[in-house]
Amino acid sequence: MMPQKRPQKQGKKTPRKYLRAAALSAVFAAVAIPATAEAQSYHPSETATNSEMRSAATSFQYSYRNLSELPLRRLDSCTHVTAEPQINSTVTVKETVYDHTSLTVADLDALHHNFLPDSTQTLGVTSGNYSYSVNVSGTTYRVNGEDCIHLKDIDIDVTFSQKIQTAAELLDHSCHKDDVTEHEELHAMFNKTAIENYGAVIDDLVKANAEKVNGRVVPRGKTATDVISEMQALFSGTVRDTLEAAVKKADTKHSRIDTFSNYLKEQKETEKKCGYELPRFSAPKN
């Protein structure tokens, strides 16, 4: 039950993408749900979501073009045949961390200025971030009086972590807390499957870049280090673009469960299961 915060970028060398979703409980005495609405809240399985993410990542892979490679491709190509570089990429998705005690409803409300009515209160949030590093090594050799670049290793490391936090007041309402946590776990699952599936195509995308720019002549006025740095920037851009696409795809899933209609369905399902409505823990929003 949550409105989604748009991802925010911090830093250039190790950009972080924040994925936020705040669980909300509408405290209306009675909520009218249109007869035409779906009978149940949206709750896709991890298997179905993983398949959807895999398909989206594959589509992204085949449609992706990194125009930053063009300046490097315009450099003269060395006639010497060079071996392909070794690409070593690692994508680490850490275990989700849970925190059920640090934040109150008032804390969560202050964090999430949302579009929902004043009669809502924030009960949980899922936040995540990724960081990555790209390191490139190469050698220079002379061919017909010109310096040529041969890429040797491209090492890529992606790390993703996330945290689920629910309001401390829910400790006295375990039935409701379980359902709020379950909603947050959907957000966490969307993030995880997006990062894993898009991360899986990074190798092939970087390899395609490397094939186009490997074996370039070092132009006059530049050093081999300059050219390798430009190649590293190219590969970093590819990794960044892929992870940005993963976040965008996860966003589409977040927005599917973060609708007022879905919140109301979840609320009714939870109240029916638990046998009572939650009290209001915080003052109405202004």
Side-chain angles (χ1 to χ4, degrees):
M1 316 186 274
M2 36 215 100
Q4 182 166 10
K5 284 275 190 181
R6 296 294 301 170
Q8 301 171 358
K9 192 193 309 179
Q10 295 184 349
K12 293 183 178 179
K13 293 185 179 178
T14 56
R16 299 179 186 275
K17 186 68 63 173
Y18 289 86
L19 311 172
R20 293 190 181 276
L24 297 137
S25 172
V27 287
F28 302 123
V31 179
I33 298 179
T36 56
E38 296 176 5
Q40 295 181 322
S41 59
Y42 181 61
H43 200 297
S45 70
E46 183 166 359
T47 298
T49 301
N50 194 60
S51 177
E52 180 180 341
M53 293 296 182
R54 186 184 307 114
S55 177
T58 300
S59 295
F60 171 80
Q61 176 184 350
Y62 288 113
S63 63
Y64 178 72
R65 296 290 182 273
N66 190 340
L67 299 180
S68 298
E69 72 192 20
L70 294 180
L72 285 164
R73 290 174 65 183
R74 292 192 186 104
L75 299 181
D76 290 338
S77 177
C78 299
T79 56
H80 181 74
V81 177
T82 60
E84 293 182 356
Q86 179 68 41
I87 300 174
N88 311 295
S89 68
T90 302
V91 178
T92 303
V93 177
K94 296 183 177 181
E95 290 294 323
T96 301
V97 174
Y98 290 82
D99 175 11
H100 301 296
T101 61
S102 297
L103 299 178
T104 65
V105 169
D107 294 330
L108 293 170
D109 279 343
L111 286 173
H112 297 279
H113 303 288
N114 56 73
F115 59 88
L116 294 173
D118 291 344
S119 53
T120 63
Q121 55 185 348
T122 310
L123 299 177
V125 62
T126 298
S127 58
N129 74 80
Y130 69 69
S131 62
Y132 67 86
S133 63
V134 178
N135 295 297
V136 178
S137 65
T139 58
T140 306
Y141 55 90
R142 298 283 290 180
V143 176
N144 298 326
E146 294 182 307
D147 289 330
C148 292
I149 300 294
H150 172 209
L151 291 169
K152 291 184 63 179
D153 294 288
I154 304 173
D155 298 318
I156 302 164
D157 182 67
V158 176
T159 302
F160 179 77
S161 60
Q162 58 186 337
K163 177 187 288 187
I164 288 175
Q165 293 175 284
T166 60
E169 290 91 338
L170 291 178
L171 292 173
D172 294 327
H173 303 272
S174 60
C175 180
H176 284 269
K177 180 175 78 69
D178 289 346
D179 277 18
V180 172
T181 301
E182 183 178 347
H183 176 101
E184 299 298 340
E185 287 175 337
L186 276 180
H187 285 291
M189 184 262 286
F190 297 155
N191 295 340
K192 175 178 178 289
T193 55
I195 293 294
E196 287 178 338
N197 282 283
Y198 278 78
V201 305
I202 286 175
D203 263 26
D204 288 339
L205 290 172
V206 170
K207 180 180 179 181
N209 285 155
E211 289 174 348
K212 294 173 183 175
V213 302
N214 197 16
R216 300 288 108 179
V217 172
V218 178
R220 294 184 183 277
K222 288 191 175 184
T223 66
T225 300
D226 293 333
V227 177
I228 290 179
S229 294
E230 291 171 0
M231 291 180 176
Q232 179 165 322
L234 166 66
F235 305 141
S236 294
T238 296
V239 176
R240 180 199 63 234
D241 292 346
T242 304
L243 295 175
E244 293 273 359
V247 170
K248 185 175 181 180
K249 178 58 183 177
D251 243 0
T252 66
K253 302 298 289 183
H254 293 314
S255 61
R256 180 73 186 275
I257 62 173
D258 283 345
T259 65
F260 195 45
S261 174
N262 197 62
Y263 299 156
L264 299 183
K265 293 170 189 174
E266 288 185 339
Q267 177 192 340
K268 279 190 169 295
E269 291 166 0
T270 299
E271 289 173 355
K272 182 178 180 180
K273 182 177 75 173
C274 299
Y276 67 99
E277 296 179 12
L278 278 178
R280 170 166 285 286
F281 300 114
S282 61
K285 301 180 182 69
N286 294 325

